[in-house]
Amino acid sequence: MGNVVFFKRGERKMEDILEVAKYFLTREAMKHKKLQKLCYYAQALYLAIYKTRLMDTDFEAWVHGPVSPRLYTRYRDWGGLTITGLQSRPHFKDNNIIIFLNKVYGLYGDYTADELEKMTHFEEPWKEARGNLAGDVPCKNVISDTSMQEYYGNRLGV
């Protein structure tokens, strides 16, 4: 992935995952699974680059990849349908977040939900959180911030 610089480091408050999700949904209508993975990668890359969380949420190592329970609760009624019809724009505490999220979407937005799921299954943070569990066994183990920061930091070269 090479060296990627999004914007200057600085003190900031965490963003709400529902606002980050809303941002991705303004880019395209998508299935819940893809939305989960885009939010996960946003959190992971932010941790790698800025050594702090982007959002106020944990991601758990579910069967279909990383899932934020809070985001799941918000969009679970969509099931496997494409989430459409959002009218409002997201509100961020830091306006530079849009620049960062544009970069994340540029890296991962062209992938399907299934491709993103498969990618996370080959990456250490999800595998580490699941341990020796079989792929089809339910799991709610939290994917650690440290694991995401180190793994994606190494991939980015930061």
Side-chain angles (χ1 to χ4, degrees), residues 4-143:
V4 180
V5 177
F6 295 102
F7 56 89
K8 294 180 182 178
R9 294 179 194 199
E11 291 293 319
R12 54 170 301 284
K13 296 179 183 177
M14 284 187 281
E15 301 296 341
D16 185 325
I17 189 168
L18 299 180
E19 295 302 310
V20 172
K22 195 185 300 182
Y23 166 79
F24 286 127
L25 290 167
T26 65
R27 296 295 305 259
E28 73 171 278
M30 66 184 74
K31 294 183 180 184
H32 184 192
K33 183 163 55 170
K34 180 172 182 175
L35 182 60
Q36 285 280 357
K37 303 315 167 255
L38 289 174
C39 289
Y40 167 77
Y41 280 121
Q43 181 88 313
L45 295 177
Y46 201 88
L47 277 162
I49 296 165
Y50 301 105
K51 314 302 185 231
T52 190
R53 284 179 167 209
L54 170 64
M55 298 171 283
D56 61 343
T57 194
D58 285 325
F59 285 86
E60 297 175 355
W62 288 23
V63 169
H64 295 289
V67 171
S68 162
R70 184 160 179 244
L71 188 59
Y72 176 79
T73 299
R74 171 64 181 87
Y75 290 104
R76 72 175 161 218
D77 292 342
W78 287 89
L81 301 173
T82 300
I83 302 168
T84 60
L86 293 179
Q87 304 294 326
S88 63
R89 290 273 185 210
H91 298 283
F92 296 113
K93 296 171 181 89
D94 181 343
N95 290 330
N96 290 319
I97 294 302
I98 292 173
I99 296 167
F100 175 79
L101 294 176
N102 280 334
K103 297 285 187 182
V104 173
Y105 187 80
L107 290 169
Y108 295 100
D110 288 338
Y111 292 102
T112 68
D114 290 337
E115 289 170 331
L116 291 169
E117 175 185 344
K118 189 173 185 177
M119 288 166 56
T120 63
H121 284 200
F122 285 101
E123 296 170 344
E124 287 305 312
W126 181 84
K127 290 175 15 180
E128 180 181 296
R130 287 193 59 85
N132 294 326
L133 292 174
D136 60 349
V137 174
C139 173
K140 292 193 174 195
N141 294 342
V142 172
I143 300 171

